[in-house]
Amino acid sequence: MQLIIDNSNYDNFLNTRFISGNFLQSSLWRKFLESQAKRYWQLVVSDGPQIAATCLFYQNTLPLGRSYFYVPKGPIFNPALSRPQKQEALSLILSKAREVTVDTRKREEIFLKLDLPENLDLPPELIKSEDLQPRDSWVLELKKSADELLAAMHPKTRYNISLAKRKGVSVEFSQDTEDLKHFISLIKKTAVRNQISVHSATYYNKLIQVLFKNKCGYLALAKVDNQVVAANIVLCFGNSATYLHGASDYRFRAYMAPHLLQWESIKKMQAAGHAVYDFWGVAPEDGSKPKWGGLSRFKKSFGGQVTKSPGAYNLIYDVGWYRWYKFARKLISLSGR
């Protein structure tokens, strides 16, 4: 096998099969990284004439002139590879990742983090670490008819969809960046209500700019009397659509707007030819995400199945600085920030 740096478009390779979160390895996500002035590299492993694996990773800066490398939901392997071949490709990526980024040494990277998309026999130098991306996702296949999809939902979910309609909730899909202000207002309220951390307004603005410019996403808006009471960001890539971010106004909870918003999104994505609607992260069975319980039940009530991944692992480059990094992370966690 041979490894090279190649920032060509490998989206067709990524879409040879559905993998939850594979958009994080796409040319679309590279454009989003560029909008944030992130340094990134795409490694490609070839095995003769065929592509064995691709791996997009980027640099996250830390205080004191340090940094780390991050691989979101990657590498992506050719499904035709055997398990030993995948392990060989992974070993090649791990051995070369730091070497090909030698020009970043002024930032002194501490470690490489991988949020792996599938289970492999991992080398001992990879140690389990906290996840940055959802380990488990809830996905709904869209090959059934609308009536069949409704029938597979939890009865209470069907009732809430009907109730939202009776209460006059309407749903619109927008690719107008001016409508992002509704989402920003709602996500701030949601963060305070649920005591969760969310991205900055700048982050969401850059994300929406990239999605809309490339015709790869929508703002889904639920309204009551022309007031936006729930909003979702839906990302489209390949044969799947992902419910990436969502927010709602608790004062209008009796209207059940989020239920209708999801159902109308599912129907729109199905009509657009997508084969999968990915609800994105749900709480793992190990109880590591207790705050995700209510949201996970909501997502699962629409029918579907869980798709699991092994989560994040770190390859440590500098043991001393890594200890300081872990200590700082613990202090931040204890402070509640």
Side-chain angles (χ1 to χ4, degrees):
M1 291 186 177
Q2 181 181 9
L3 181 144
I4 60 171
I5 301 177
D6 184 356
N7 286 335
S8 301
N9 186 324
Y10 285 92
D11 291 349
N12 288 337
F13 171 77
L14 298 179
N15 285 314
T16 53
R17 57 175 172 150
F18 169 72
I19 297 177
S20 181
N22 64 349
F23 63 87
L24 294 168
Q25 288 286 309
S26 69
S27 63
L28 177 69
W29 208 251
R30 292 209 311 264
K31 293 173 183 176
F32 180 47
L33 294 175
E34 289 168 1
S35 75
Q36 302 173 81
K38 295 275 192 183
R39 302 193 67 183
Y40 66 82
W41 301 263
Q42 182 170 263
L43 305 182
V44 179
V45 179
S46 60
D47 187 9
Q50 75 170 349
I51 300 170
T54 62
C55 179
L56 174 67
F57 68 103
Y58 59 92
Q59 182 185 41
N60 279 331
T61 57
L62 297 169
L64 302 177
R66 305 292 155 173
S67 68
Y68 69 93
F69 295 140
Y70 178 50
V71 183
K73 291 294 181 180
I76 302 294
F77 299 99
N78 189 323
L81 294 183
S82 66
R83 196 176 183 90
Q85 286 175 315
K86 290 179 181 179
Q87 290 167 212
E88 181 183 353
L90 176 61
S91 295
L92 185 58
I93 289 169
L94 293 178
S95 67
K96 297 294 185 180
R98 199 182 194 198
E99 179 181 314
V100 300
T101 58
V102 66
D103 59 331
T104 69
R105 291 297 173 84
K106 62 183 180 180
R107 295 296 310 184
E108 290 297 334
E109 56 274 13
I110 300 172
F111 60 94
L112 168 72
K113 176 184 283 289
L114 305 94
D115 258 310
L116 295 165
E118 60 179 283
N119 286 301
L120 296 170
D121 295 326
L122 301 176
E125 59 266 28
L126 281 179
I127 61 172
K128 192 72 182 77
S129 66
E130 59 183 337
D131 303 326
L132 292 188
Q133 303 299 332
R135 195 186 322 159
D136 295 352
S137 293
W138 192 258
V139 299
L140 177 65
E141 293 186 358
L142 302 181
K143 57 187 177 183
K144 296 180 180 179
S145 68
D147 287 342
E148 289 173 321
L149 290 173
L150 272 172
M153 293 180 190
H154 191 282
K156 184 65 173 177
T157 301
R158 288 197 302 272
Y159 174 81
N160 286 341
I161 290 171
S162 178
L163 179 62
K165 292 178 180 178
R166 294 198 303 272
K167 285 180 172 287
V169 178
S170 62
V171 172
E172 299 175 5
F173 294 92
S174 171
Q175 288 186 320
D176 184 348
T177 55
E178 285 297 312
D179 285 327
L180 181 62
K181 62 179 181 289
H182 303 300
F183 175 84
I184 297 297
S185 174
L186 291 172
I187 196 68
K188 289 179 179 178
K189 294 176 182 178
T190 300
V192 172
R193 181 176 75 242
N194 295 334
Q195 296 182 317
I196 57 174
S197 298
V198 296
H199 297 291
S200 67
T202 299
Y203 178 96
Y204 292 119
N205 182 63
K206 289 180 177 179
L207 175 62
I208 284 296
Q209 293 279 356
V210 170
L211 294 186
F212 288 3
K213 182 178 180 180
N214 292 277
K215 307 297 183 185
C216 290
Y218 299 89
L219 275 170
L221 308 172
K223 295 183 177 181
V224 173
D225 295 330
N226 210 37
Q227 179 179 347
V228 177
V229 299
N232 295 341
I233 296 176
V234 181
L235 180 150
C236 304
F237 176 69
N239 68 348
S240 64
T242 302
Y243 161 48
L244 200 55
H245 301 287
S248 62
D249 191 329
Y250 189 69
R251 296 174 301 169
F252 291 85
R253 61 191 180 279
Y255 285 81
M256 301 299 166
H259 291 80
L260 182 61
L261 191 59
Q262 288 291 355
W263 175 230
E264 293 298 328
S265 296
I266 289 168
K267 290 193 296 180
K268 182 175 179 64
M269 296 305 108
Q270 184 183 51
H274 296 291
V276 174
Y277 187 82
D278 190 344
F279 284 92
W280 204 216
V282 291
E285 295 175 354
D286 62 8
S288 59
K289 297 289 185 180
K291 291 184 178 181
W292 290 16
L295 181 59
S296 298
R297 288 189 294 273
F298 170 75
K299 293 178 178 181
K300 292 179 179 181
S301 74
F302 287 87
Q305 60 188 11
V306 69
T307 176
K308 295 178 176 290
S309 66
Y313 286 79
N314 289 349
L315 175 64
I316 301 171
Y317 296 143
D318 190 316
V319 175
W321 273 105
Y322 187 75
R323 288 173 180 158
W324 277 108
Y325 169 81
K326 294 287 288 183
F327 178 69
R329 293 286 298 175
K330 186 175 182 179
L331 288 180
I332 292 172
S333 176
L334 291 174
S335 69
R337 291 172 56 189

